[in-house]
């Protein structure tokens, strides 16, 4: 039944397009029309890709542009946890491809770094039902496979810098969807704790210096882990502050 919620492992259906304005734009249209969870849309190119906070995102052929539809039966306030679900699935997918010396880390809340440079990003968007419950979730994932954008405010990387023969987007997507299905099922069955532990295995080291912007102000401290809800714990002296939103720089 379209729109039905499922608790068993989701079976993803991958739909490939040569070019779309945005995979997430297309997927959200399908979600609003009642498509069942498990739909995954891939585009070889995007004409109007988007990143966080409405930023444009270069989308040349050869990289991964993927959006997936989920309808988990969870409270709306828990939806941000799926950014971590997707991040763990993505990290485990890419780590198996990389040489041992390549340094992969996850940056709170939704970036994947290679050698300290951004190589992938995740954007979770939600739809709300008339009773204010979570209706659907769109997880957009972009991975720099063969090329990387030049950004004025951060270093970028791509898999081709670490691999002599990086995978085609469709191949990477197939493995990623398998891992995403596993961690999605884990979150539904066991809660956020195993997701948090898995994320921390790929995250910054405890005590690492952290700087981030919030409302134009620069806040600095030391990484002290994640809260049970996924907030960043920032240590400043003897105090630990919970960071719910912001951008680590």
């Amino acid at each position: 039944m379209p729109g039905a919620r499922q608790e068993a492992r989701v079976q993803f259906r991958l739909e490939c397009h040569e070019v779309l304005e945005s995979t997430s734009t297309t997927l959200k249209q399908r979600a609003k029309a009642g498509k069942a969870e498990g739909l995954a849309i891939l585009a070889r190119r995007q004409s109007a890709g988007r990143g966080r906070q409405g930023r444009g995102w270069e989308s040349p052929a050869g990289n991964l542009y993927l959006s997936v539809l989920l309808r988990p039966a969870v409270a709306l306030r828990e939806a941000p946890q799926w950014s971590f679900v997707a991040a763990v699935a993505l990290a485990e997918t890419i780590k198996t491809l990389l040489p041992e010396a390549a340094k992969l880390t996850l940056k709170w809340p939704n970036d994947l770094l290679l050698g300290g440079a951004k190589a992938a990003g995740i954007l979770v968007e939600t739809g709300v039902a008339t009773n204010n419950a979570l209706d659907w979730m769109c997880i957009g994932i972009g991975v720099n496979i063969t090329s990387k954008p030049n950004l004025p405010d951060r270093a970028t990387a791509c898999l081709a810098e670490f691999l002599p023969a990086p995978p085609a987007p469709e191949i990477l997507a197939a493995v990623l969807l398998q891992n995403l299905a596993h961690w999605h099922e884990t979150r539904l069955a066991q809660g956020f704790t195993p997701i948090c532990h898995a994320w921390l295995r790929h995250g910054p080291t405890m005590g690492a210096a952290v700087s981030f912007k919030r409302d134009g102000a620069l806040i600095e401290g030391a990484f002290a882990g994640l809260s049970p809800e996924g907030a960043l714990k920032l240590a400043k002296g003897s105090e630990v502050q919970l960071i719910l939103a912001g951008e680590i720089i």
Side-chain angles (χ1 to χ4, degrees), residues 73-98:
V74 299
L76 182 60
R77 67 179 180 277
E78 297 175 7
Q81 295 178 3
W82 264 259
S83 177
F84 298 90
V85 172
V88 170
L90 181 61
E92 294 198 345
T93 300
I94 291 180
K95 195 170 185 66
T96 59
L97 302 173
L98 296 173

Side-chain angles (χ1 to χ4, degrees), residues 195-236:
I195 308 301
C196 180
H197 289 167
W199 191 94
L200 288 171
R201 287 198 294 270
H202 303 290
T205 24
M206 290 291 180
V210 174
S211 301
F212 73 99
K213 286 182 180 178
R214 186 174 64 184
D215 300 328
L218 182 66
I219 301 175
E220 298 178 319
F223 179 71
L226 299 177
S227 77
E229 296 77 32
L232 183 142
K233 295 167 71 173
L234 187 75
K236 301 188 70 174

Side-chain angles (χ1 to χ4, degrees), residues 17-219:
H17 298 262
E18 191 60 38
V19 60
L20 290 174
E21 177 182 301
S22 159
T23 58
S24 288
T25 297
T26 300
L27 187 123
K28 287 188 294 181
Q29 291 169 348
R30 304 278 188 87
K32 293 172 185 176
K35 287 293 184 182
E37 74 170 357
L39 175 64
I41 295 179
L42 179 149
R44 295 181 178 89
R45 290 183 297 115
Q46 295 182 126
S47 60
R50 293 179 299 109
R52 290 185 68 227
Q53 300 175 347
R55 296 188 183 106
W57 187 256
E58 293 181 25
S59 306
N63 292 339
L64 176 68
Y65 315 110
L66 178 72
S67 295
V68 301
L69 173 62
L70 293 174
R71 297 182 182 270
V74 299
L76 182 60
R77 67 179 180 277
E78 297 175 7
Q81 295 178 3
W82 264 259
S83 177
F84 298 90
V85 172
V88 170
L90 181 61
E92 294 198 345
T93 300
I94 291 180
K95 195 170 185 66
T96 59
L97 302 173
L98 296 173
E100 193 68 29
K103 177 142 180 78
L104 180 153
T105 53
L106 292 173
K107 188 181 93 169
W108 185 89
N110 54 10
D111 286 348
L112 182 145
L113 310 181
L114 292 178
K118 180 172 179 176
I122 297 163
L123 179 63
V124 176
E125 300 173 274
T126 56
V128 183
T130 52
N131 62 352
N132 291 323
L134 177 66
D135 185 16
W136 52 262
M137 183 183 299
C138 169
I139 303 178
I141 302 172
V143 180
N144 300 332
I145 298 178
T146 59
S147 63
K148 60 184 183 179
N150 293 316
L151 301 180
D153 59 343
R154 71 199 66 194
T156 55
C158 65
L159 297 185
E161 295 175 309
F162 300 85
L163 298 170
E170 295 87 345
I171 301 300
L172 187 65
V175 179
L176 173 56
L177 291 174
Q178 290 178 359
N179 286 330
L180 181 58
H182 165 73
W183 286 106
H184 172 61
E185 181 184 33
T186 299
R187 167 57 187 82
L188 291 177
Q190 302 178 40
F192 186 60
T193 298
I195 308 301
C196 180
H197 289 167
W199 191 94
L200 288 171
R201 287 198 294 270
H202 303 290
T205 24
M206 290 291 180
V210 174
S211 301
F212 73 99
K213 286 182 180 178
R214 186 174 64 184
D215 300 328
L218 182 66
I219 301 175

